[in-house]
Amino acid sequence: MKINVLTLFPEMFEPVVGGSILGRAKKKGILDINLINIRDFSQDKHKKADDYPFGGGVGMVMLADPVFRALESISGQGKKALYMSPRGEVLNHEKIRQISKEEELIILCGHYEGIDERILEYWNMEEVSIGDYVLTGGELPAMVLIDSVARLIPEVLAGEESAEEESIYSGLLEYPQYTKPREYRGMMVPEVLFNGNHKLIALWKYEKSLELTRDRRPDLFQRYLKGHGELSKEQLKILKKVESAVEKV
Ligand code: ADE
């Protein structure tokens, strides 16, 4: 997958895209992250990339021309283009999954108070938000998007953990995890994890996932009840047990 990132601050991305998992994906050629400095496309002698908003208002607005030229340099027409913005649809797993299927992507990071609206209209940009709060720029949101999309590309996680195996992918939150030592400051690891019975352990994990989801994210739990995959008899029994506790909580 190729991701073209248009930004005024390409250096912000270096440690993230060069870091562990994304860096390895880049080296293996699975992920190609092309950082483009919008300022390089400014025709202005001071490399200006923003100006005052027409009609007044606070802050500066990113100029259309450097962004247009940057997009033309990568033949952006017809490619899936996203603009990181709190005005956009809030990201969720389903959206990330759709985006991860693209072969090439353009991500535009805004700064200052906004960007000239004509950029969004002309390049048919889809606005994408990472949540209902406002950051100072689109760079951190773009990194959140890149990280979450990259880990869904087959081969990126390379056996470390399978993205599809994780519980959020079946619509549930993840069960609790433990590692050594077995006892820490008097706190014990649940006994079931040592009994060697893999079927029993899997059922325990399933039960914990269900309980956590029910208690913390009732919205996800209700959705899971409506459409989960094939369950074994034992799993179904556990689901019924956890579900019947809904009325009591
Ligand atoms: N830019 C500023 N705030 C943002 C947000 N919440 N999501 C995406 N881009 C943003």
Side-chain angles (χ1 to χ4, degrees):
M1 181 182 205
K2 179 167 183 177
I3 305 180
N4 303 284
V5 183
L6 276 70
T7 169
L8 289 167
F9 302 96
E11 68 281 357
M12 280 180 76
F13 289 81
E14 301 287 354
V16 173
V17 302
S20 67
I21 292 177
L22 295 188
R24 200 179 54 204
K26 205 173 168 187
K27 268 201 204 107
K28 281 206 251 170
I30 302 165
L31 193 61
D32 176 9
I33 297 179
N34 181 24
L35 296 171
I36 298 161
N37 191 340
I38 295 167
R39 209 176 291 282
D40 291 346
F41 294 88
S42 170
Q43 302 288 93
D44 179 81
K45 65 173 182 289
H46 303 294
K47 295 277 168 215
K48 202 167 76 154
D50 63 328
D51 214 323
Y52 294 100
F54 279 134
V58 283
M60 304 291 268
V61 175
M62 268 166 71
L63 291 164
D65 189 61
V67 178
F68 266 63
R69 288 176 188 277
L71 286 164
E72 279 154 4
S73 80
I74 52 164
S75 311
Q77 206 61 264
K79 291 177 183 165
K80 177 91 178 161
L82 308 176
Y83 172 58
M84 305 313 297
S85 153
R87 290 197 320 200
E89 185 191 338
V90 177
L91 278 181
N92 59 22
H93 178 60
E94 188 42 43
K95 187 81 203 159
I96 305 266
R97 223 163 54 92
Q98 279 172 17
I99 296 172
S100 73
K101 305 253 183 287
E102 298 286 338
E103 251 176 51
E104 186 168 356
L105 204 62
I106 294 167
I107 303 177
L108 173 62
C109 306
H111 238 270
Y112 313 114
E113 293 310 310
I115 68 170
D116 193 306
E117 190 75 18
R118 288 167 292 190
I119 299 168
L120 305 180
E121 284 168 12
Y122 183 88
W123 295 93
N124 196 20
M125 295 225 162
E126 182 178 342
E127 295 187 52
V128 172
S129 167
I130 61 161
D132 292 334
Y133 44 85
V134 182
L135 291 109
T136 55
E139 282 74 16
L140 289 170
M143 286 184 244
V144 168
L145 176 67
I146 292 169
D147 190 274
S148 53
V149 163
R151 64 192 294 285
L152 291 189
I153 303 170
E155 295 178 79
V156 166
L157 289 186
E160 263 170 51
E161 43 176 325
S162 152
E164 286 307 320
E165 213 176 81
E166 279 181 21
S167 50
I168 190 68
Y169 300 102
S170 56
L172 294 175
L173 302 182
E174 210 177 359
Y175 51 82
Q177 300 264 26
Y178 301 89
T179 185
K180 287 173 192 156
R182 191 166 172 161
E183 179 184 350
Y184 182 68
R185 300 192 183 197
M187 293 176 282
M188 305 298 293
V189 174
E191 206 53 45
V192 61
L193 298 175
F194 301 102
N195 70 14
N197 183 334
H198 297 296
K199 197 169 158 192
L200 216 60
I201 292 173
L203 287 174
W204 177 86
K205 289 176 175 177
Y206 182 58
E207 182 169 7
K208 291 295 153 195
S209 273
L210 286 171
E211 287 172 353
L212 274 170
T213 312
R214 179 198 63 199
D215 296 345
R216 294 188 188 177
R217 294 291 306 272
D219 56 325
L220 292 184
F221 187 67
Q222 288 306 325
R223 199 184 306 163
Y224 182 79
L225 289 179
K226 284 188 199 120
H228 48 72
E230 281 280 296
L231 298 179
S232 68
K233 244 198 328 223
E234 290 96 334
Q235 284 171 325
L236 206 56
K237 228 164 95 183
I238 289 176
L239 179 61
K240 290 282 165 223
K241 188 172 105 188
V242 177
E243 187 187 356
S244 70
V246 168
E247 289 83 47
K248 292 179 210 138
V249 289

